Amino acid sequence: MFKKILIANRGEIACRVIATARKLGIKTVAVYSDADAQARHVKLADEAFRLGPPAPRESYLRSDLILAIAKQTGAEAIHPGYGFLSENAEFAIACVEAGVVFIGPPASAISAMGSKSAAKTLMESAAVPLVPGYHGEKQDVSFLQREADKMGYPVLIKASAGGGGKGMKIVEKSTDFLSQLASAQREAESSFGDSRVLIEKYLTKPRHIEIQVFADTHGEAVYLFERDCSVQRRHQKVLEEAPAPGMTAERRSEMGIAAVNAAKAIGYVGAGTVEFIFDTLTGAFYFMEMNTRLQVEHPVTEMITRQDLVEWQLRVASGESLPLKQHELKIHGHAFEARVYAEDPARDFLPQIGKLAHLHQPAESAYVRVDTGVESGDEISPWYDPMIAKLIVWDENRQRALDRLTNALSDYEVVGLDTNLAFLRQLASHPAFAACELDTGFIARHRERLIPSPTPISVDTLALAALAELAQVEARNLAMRQCSKEPASPWWEADGWRLNQDNRHALHFRVGSQEYAVIAHYADTGYMLEIGTEKLNANGSLHGQMLRAVINGHRLQATAVRHDGQLTIVNNGANTELEPFNPLLVGLQVAEATGGLNAPMPGTVVAVHVKAGEIVEKGTPLMILEAMKMEHTILAPHAGEVKEVFFQKGEQVTEGTALLEIASQ
Ligand code: ADP
């Protein structure tokens, strides 16, 4: 076994690999970009080295620097994690040439599966079933359009070099084909430096079922059963589970054997995943692609097989045989994984960047696991994937595991930026999900209920906010009193005794565009709070950020976090952001910017569709912004004449910048 390895990655997966290495007594070397100098993976590793500026091509993609660090530190092997260099055949070759073990398959297997098109050709010859489509070399636009027309709509355009849903476009009708093709090619070019695409028949009600395979250097290969990753948004996995609901033993072995055959056909070594698309209308399954690395969702397989897949990777890479044979692998219970993201579901899941002002994760146990790369106070930067953590739960059966998931999600608190936590909670508690009504359209179909609509603020939340404010006032008074020369002076009394004042205190909060007032009357046993027409007896104390309260005899515990002039109350897993304000200063508030023509996020302008003077309809695409390698189209919020376009193709914009101006007609 290796004595020291280098982890060429960041975030949760780097931390995950370090955990297993430590368990096996292997020393670890981390690498980091300037954005990650204080990151958790850097702190966990035995050694850490700077790569360069935050941009991946100047840091985590610098294979030359990474190899030099491996040589310098005496690391015998490199774990690439997922993303970055994990499926880069040239890097795998460079490792071999430098005499460092690449913890992954041989370069030839990566190349064989690197292009979705080439992989399909290969699988076709191995008699693995494929979705009808065109995956050949011809890229002539009119030829592709003819193929799509022949196949019948809807069709799906995919980047041949694709991954992560980038460069993937659904085309509903023939007249949309060319514009969608251009968009797919642009995304493919910017993400992979390769604009080639393939076309597939788009299945309307499929499930995504993938098989975990493992092969060693002694010619043995096994499958570690399936994962169901059907709950997706824009073709990106959101919730994964294992085993797949409704999977029969026969189908499981049929798919498992097909996956092992696919791996054997390309001389595979290490951890791999063969993805299938399963047509719920016909029961047929088709090969989609093979991912030649450890997947994000590998923990659900670890939970149900009771195996450590990173340990398997390290053993296989060091030349050992597979730890278990096929007949020794068993499924135990059921596991779920939910991906916790910094994103705003109410704004079409726009990635959020900023500081994690407060982070509380559910306690880990045999049932609950949290894989994360961040800590309270860390930044989610615009440079990388905005994933905060993966929450993994296990129990004896699906329903119990689902209950665990719901509970753990309620126990998860993030303050400082928007997250998909409330969305995940809705998802996990949706009756259709509990009833296994799974297909990749699940989220779109249940959107209304899943995207939490802003609910009116509750009286309890306002009371909690008032108690948090009052506790702070009292703490401040107490501190001032202790420092004062006359600590016994009635001026320091916190019970509301004031000269020329009623024994009341008015607190004002703004929530969105609404304003609320809470009048606190000091009483013998705390406060009497007046909120609208309600009167509540309340008392509370702050212990750091933990607020203990009793409201009308009901004991509550909440979290109160202050950040950037906001007070966030987290109660029962739901966040409410309140802005305490002084009504006497309201005249000084700056009017909010209006629009819909402002950049929703920092990014690059990749296309401008309109010119000054042009008349546009409501909904006309005006401009395309690219951020985090995804395209966002700016649509006209109303009809009118384009007055001015402030940015040209290629220019960078910051969040909130006005992009163009349209005069209403
Ligand atoms: P990527 O590698 O970019 O993630 P995949 O080929 O793995 O892309 O596909 C991602 C998801 O897109 C799948 O999980 C599935 O939900 C959906 N998808 C892919 N191909 C099809 C298809 N032919 N019909 C319907 N949905 C598809």
Side-chain angles (χ1 to χ4, degrees), residues 589-604:
Q589 299 287 327
V590 182
E592 240 183 63
T594 53
L597 290 174
N598 297 348
M601 58 195 317
T604 311

Side-chain angles (χ1 to χ4, degrees), residues 295-598:
Q295 300 269 91
V296 175
E297 60 275 20
H298 75 276
V300 291
T301 301
E302 298 189 314
M303 299 298 260
I304 62 152
T305 56
R306 299 183 180 158
Q307 301 300 313
D308 177 337
L309 297 193
V310 174
E311 179 177 342
W312 278 49
Q313 284 190 298
L314 294 171
R315 293 201 180 283
V316 164
S318 69
E320 293 182 25
S321 300
L322 288 175
L324 293 176
K325 304 224 174 333
Q326 191 66 55
H327 70 272
E328 294 171 313
L329 283 158
K330 298 268 175 310
I331 296 179
H332 308 270
H334 202 97
F336 286 99
E337 176 184 274
R339 301 187 186 194
V340 181
Y341 274 101
E343 61 185 14
D344 183 359
R347 287 201 293 158
D348 202 19
F349 295 86
L350 209 57
Q352 302 290 297
I353 52 178
K355 193 169 172 174
L356 294 159
H358 163 80
L359 181 66
H360 165 84
Q361 295 173 338
E364 293 194 273
S365 66
Y367 299 97
V368 177
R369 163 173 165 187
V370 181
D371 281 16
T372 188
V374 292
E375 294 165 347
S376 210
D378 282 358
E379 295 269 339
I380 299 292
S381 76
W383 299 103
Y384 316 109
D385 186 71
M387 188 160 77
I388 297 172
K390 303 187 311 203
L391 173 63
I392 306 113
V393 297
W394 178 91
D395 211 321
E396 298 292 333
N397 59 47
R398 188 175 190 267
Q399 187 52 52
R400 289 177 68 156
L402 196 51
D403 292 343
R404 294 256 177 216
L405 180 63
T406 320
N407 289 339
L409 283 168
S410 300
D411 213 15
Y412 217 116
E413 298 178 356
V414 179
V415 175
L417 23 81
D418 291 316
T419 69
N420 64 344
L421 276 167
F423 170 77
L424 290 173
R425 254 177 249 132
Q426 295 288 333
L427 202 55
S429 57
H430 199 291
F433 186 68
C436 306
E437 290 166 20
L438 298 173
D439 67 83
T440 59
F442 187 92
I443 290 180
R445 192 160 60 242
H446 300 292
R447 206 183 157 80
E448 287 296 304
R449 176 158 166 185
L450 296 177
I451 310 285
S453 50
T455 45
I457 185 166
S458 72
V459 169
D460 271 1
T461 306
L462 280 172
L464 289 168
L467 290 171
E469 287 289 276
L470 291 163
Q472 204 189 30
V473 171
E474 281 183 17
R476 206 181 301 140
N477 280 350
L478 187 67
M480 286 165 74
R481 179 177 185 164
Q482 280 162 352
C483 300
S484 131
K485 290 199 189 85
E486 288 179 77
S489 157
W491 288 103
W492 304 125
E493 286 305 318
D495 61 2
W497 185 91
R498 301 284 186 282
L499 274 184
N500 304 324
Q501 264 188 32
D502 178 16
N503 69 337
R504 68 201 279 279
H505 196 114
L507 299 149
H508 298 268
F509 300 101
R510 199 174 283 123
V511 182
S513 55
Q514 288 286 338
E515 290 179 3
Y516 299 90
V518 180
I519 314 292
H521 298 269
Y522 296 84
D524 290 346
T525 54
Y527 304 95
M528 198 277 282
L529 300 180
E530 246 183 286
I531 303 173
T533 53
E534 302 240 13
K535 290 193 166 72
L536 313 170
N537 288 314
N539 204 350
S541 55
L542 262 183
H543 311 267
Q545 294 181 319
M546 198 219 301
L547 175 65
R548 289 216 181 97
V550 184
I551 301 175
N552 279 350
H554 177 202
R555 233 165 237 291
L556 291 175
Q557 189 170 305
T559 304
V561 186
R562 282 165 217 283
H563 60 103
D564 310 322
Q566 301 277 331
L567 170 67
T568 300
I569 299 291
V570 190
N571 185 20
N572 270 336
N575 288 21
T576 309
E577 284 219 349
L578 306 105
E579 183 194 344
F581 72 99
N582 182 342
L584 301 175
L585 300 177
V586 165
L588 302 176
Q589 299 287 327
V590 182
E592 240 183 63
T594 53
L597 290 174
N598 297 348

Side-chain angles (χ1 to χ4, degrees), residues 116 158 163 165 168 200-201 203 208 232 235 275 289 440:
K116 286 188 202 282
K158 286 184 183 177
M168 196 148 92
E200 273 176 15
K201 179 82 192 147
L203 306 180
H208 173 120
Q232 304 184 341
H235 309 299
E275 296 190 334
E289 63 169 346
T440 59

Side-chain angles (χ1 to χ4, degrees), residues 116 120 131-132 154-156 158-159 161-168 170 192 199-210 229-230 232 234-237 275-277 286 288-289 291 293 439-441:
K116 286 188 202 282
K120 286 189 160 208
V131 192
V155 303
L156 186 61
K158 286 184 183 177
K166 285 159 201 152
M168 196 148 92
I170 303 168
F192 315 109
I199 314 172
E200 273 176 15
K201 179 82 192 147
Y202 184 67
L203 306 180
T204 48
K205 226 170 185 269
R207 276 168 74 180
H208 173 120
I209 298 180
E210 57 184 35
C229 312
S230 299
Q232 304 184 341
R234 283 212 194 129
H235 309 299
Q236 289 300 290
K237 298 160 187 166
E275 296 190 334
F276 293 102
I277 190 155
Y286 306 104
M288 234 181 339
E289 63 169 346
N291 290 324
R293 54 169 157 81
D439 67 83
T440 59

Side-chain angles (χ1 to χ4, degrees), residues 233-234 342-344 347-353 381-384 386 596-605 623-634 647 651-659:
R233 199 187 63 76
R234 283 212 194 129
E343 61 185 14
D344 183 359
R347 287 201 293 158
D348 202 19
F349 295 86
L350 209 57
Q352 302 290 297
I353 52 178
S381 76
W383 299 103
Y384 316 109
L597 290 174
N598 297 348
M601 58 195 317
T604 311
V605 176
M623 207 180 249
I624 301 178
L625 279 191
E626 192 206 78
M628 295 183 175
K629 302 252 191 242
M630 297 291 278
E631 291 193 350
H632 299 266
T633 305
I634 307 294
F647 291 92
E651 287 189 283
Q652 302 278 334
V653 296
T654 53
E655 183 175 346
T657 314
L659 299 171

